[in-house]
Amino acid sequence: MKNRYISLLILVLFLIAPFIQSDTSDESQSTMLLSVPPIISIISFYARWIIFIILLLYFLLSTNALTQYITKYNLLFLLFYIFPLLYALFTLTDVFRYFSLAVLAFVLPIVITSQIEEEKGFLKMNNFQKIILLFIILSIVVSGTAVISGLRFQGILGNPNMYGISAVFWLALIQLCQKTKLNLILTVVIFITILLSGSRGSLVAGLVVILFAYSQYLKKLLAGLVIITILITVLSNYIDLGFIFDRFGDISNSAGDSGRQPIWDKAFQFINLNPFGYGMNAPLELIGTGNVHNAYIRFLLTMGYPMTIITLACFFLLLWVAVKDKMTPKPLVGFLFGYALANYGEDFFVGVGSSMFIYVVLTIGMLSYSNLKK
């Protein structure tokens, strides 16, 4: 029964993940007629940490039994956070964040892998599919009228960009389910909502997931894109979608019109003066913001070029291993690539306990499970 409870907690973690960062950005649209009650976000915020602690304690109490589930993906993912942790310890800056990232990045995927292997009752893909279906229905109910009003689709998150990248993970998971008509319809609907969110990074990430998922079915992939294009074209005859198309038509200026470029320019002024980094608190101390909106620039500013290259080499080596591994679910590999691209516009890599961190540890856990089946 103990394992069953742990599996249930993992499923609950996935259930609350989207609400952890709901309506927490200056990009949220306060004019929405409907929204998720703030209490849901507060409950999710604390529940997430309680679940993390329980899973960590479970790991510590069951370490001997869980070592068999450690794979190359766990080790590479750990290394990706070990080097920032070493730099944080050396400079004594933001140590708790990077210690937490390293510990959770190692422990959580192992526990997830063990539960997929030992207790499949709660962690069947059909259960994830049902939750995703619930997310989409609620998102359309909450945000469907927003598009008609000329607002970006933001679903249940109160933030179009966070909705977009969360939906990319849902899109990847859906591809692991049995190929049914419901699954195909859900895939199309999720992709359309990503497009309507106006999140350029999420759209690119979503396309990468689709490419990986349907790489062997290019004709079907092209047919699906044609259908989506027709649907959007028909929809645009009744609803003014210019506010969405304008965003994608000016991708080259995405950094400028989103307010990111001034932050990046200021960061590079410091990076050019010292290529070895200023410490993990540099974004707040030097630029005056805790979010650089680019994880790669953040690493350069905090750790400098040498440590950034070493750190990123670990992540991209993980991607390379996953691509070469014939057993890995390709949609999840596509999500990791999309995640890497999305970090060009956000600091997802360092968001301990964030929605995206939860999605990534779930991904690593699933990749490790596929590795164990060899």
Side-chain angles (χ1 to χ4, degrees), residues 209 238 353:
V209 168
Y238 301 94

Side-chain angles (χ1 to χ4, degrees), residues 2 50 66 82 92-93 122 135 154 207 215-216 224 229 240 243 296-297 311-313 329 355:
K2 178 173 61 175
I50 292 172
L66 294 179
I82 280 293
L92 293 179
T93 53
F122 288 114
F135 287 158
Q154 59 186 23
L207 288 171
S215 59
Q216 296 178 334
T229 302
D240 182 11
F243 65 100
Y296 303 102
I297 295 177
T311 298
L312 293 179
S355 303

Side-chain angles (χ1 to χ4, degrees), residues 251-323:
I251 290 180
S252 61
N253 193 40
S254 59
D257 63 27
S258 63
R260 289 169 169 80
Q261 194 63 55
I263 297 176
W264 297 353
D265 290 342
K266 191 172 182 179
F268 270 110
Q269 290 177 6
F270 290 102
I271 293 169
N272 293 334
L273 291 174
N274 177 14
F276 296 101
Y278 293 88
M280 297 315 209
N281 290 330
L284 196 57
E285 294 176 352
L286 300 180
I287 304 180
T289 177
N291 190 355
V292 181
H293 293 288
N294 187 312
Y296 303 102
I297 295 177
R298 183 189 186 100
F299 280 160
L300 289 174
L301 178 66
T302 56
M303 300 190 296
Y305 282 95
M307 287 295 286
T308 295
I309 291 172
I310 294 172
T311 298
L312 293 179
C314 296
F315 188 82
F316 287 104
L317 179 58
L318 188 158
L319 288 178
W320 174 256
V321 170
V323 169

Side-chain angles (χ1 to χ4, degrees), residues 215-226:
S215 59
Q216 296 178 334
Y217 309 97
L218 290 180
K219 290 183 179 180
K220 292 183 179 181
L221 174 60
L222 291 174
L225 291 177
V226 168

Side-chain angles (χ1 to χ4, degrees), residues 37-305:
I39 188 64
I40 301 297
S41 179
I42 296 172
I43 292 173
S44 300
F45 178 89
Y46 289 105
R48 164 263 316 258
W49 290 115
I50 292 172
I51 293 175
F52 281 174
I53 293 171
I54 293 174
L55 296 182
L56 180 59
L57 290 174
Y58 174 74
F59 176 84
L60 293 175
L61 294 173
S62 312
T63 301
N64 291 336
L66 294 179
T67 52
Q68 61 180 307
Y69 298 107
I70 298 175
T71 70
K72 56 191 175 185
Y73 296 110
N74 299 118
L75 298 177
L76 288 171
F77 196 47
L78 173 63
L79 282 176
F80 174 63
Y81 285 113
I82 280 293
F83 290 106
L85 173 59
L86 291 175
Y87 195 94
L89 289 171
F90 180 76
T91 57
L92 293 179
T93 53
D94 214 0
V95 174
F96 180 75
R97 173 193 295 272
Y98 290 94
F99 177 77
S100 300
L101 282 168
V103 171
L104 294 175
F106 182 65
V107 169
L108 296 183
I110 295 174
V111 175
I112 291 167
T113 302
S114 70
Q115 296 310 297
I116 296 175
E117 173 66 22
E118 297 177 6
E119 179 53 63
K120 298 181 176 65
F122 288 114
L123 298 183
K124 291 180 179 179
M125 287 310 304
N126 285 344
N127 287 337
F128 286 102
Q129 184 187 47
K130 292 174 184 177
I131 293 176
I132 292 171
L133 180 60
L134 174 64
F135 287 158
I136 297 303
I137 292 174
L138 287 176
S139 294
I140 293 174
V141 170
V142 170
S143 190
T145 56
V147 178
I148 300 175
S149 304
L151 297 173
R152 295 164 60 190
F153 188 89
Q154 59 186 23
I156 52 178
L157 277 72
N159 181 328
N161 288 335
M162 279 306 302
Y163 172 84
I165 195 61
S166 295
V168 170
F169 181 64
W170 306 342
L171 185 67
L173 276 190
I174 286 298
Q175 308 315 308
L176 304 184
C177 299
Q178 186 178 0
K179 297 297 186 290
T180 62
K181 290 184 179 179
L182 173 62
N183 193 61
L184 178 60
I185 293 172
L186 195 51
T187 296
V188 173
V189 171
I190 291 174
F191 189 83
I192 290 176
T193 62
I194 292 173
L195 179 63
L196 294 177
S197 75
S199 173
R200 290 165 284 214
S202 299
L203 177 62
V204 173
L207 288 171
V208 171
V209 168
I210 293 295
L211 182 61
F212 270 86
Y214 292 92
S215 59
Q216 296 178 334
Y217 309 97
L218 290 180
K219 290 183 179 180
K220 292 183 179 181
L221 174 60
L222 291 174
L225 291 177
V226 168
I227 291 173
I228 290 175
T229 302
I230 293 174
L231 288 173
I232 293 296
T233 302
V234 172
L235 186 62
S236 65
N237 290 327
Y238 301 94
I239 303 173
D240 182 11
L241 299 178
F243 65 100
I244 297 293
F245 297 137
D246 289 345
R247 288 181 60 81
F248 296 122
D250 194 20
I251 290 180
S252 61
N253 193 40
S254 59
D257 63 27
S258 63
R260 289 169 169 80
Q261 194 63 55
I263 297 176
W264 297 353
D265 290 342
K266 191 172 182 179
F268 270 110
Q269 290 177 6
F270 290 102
I271 293 169
N272 293 334
L273 291 174
N274 177 14
F276 296 101
Y278 293 88
M280 297 315 209
N281 290 330
L284 196 57
E285 294 176 352
L286 300 180
I287 304 180
T289 177
N291 190 355
V292 181
H293 293 288
N294 187 312
Y296 303 102
I297 295 177
R298 183 189 186 100
F299 280 160
L300 289 174
L301 178 66
T302 56
M303 300 190 296
Y305 282 95

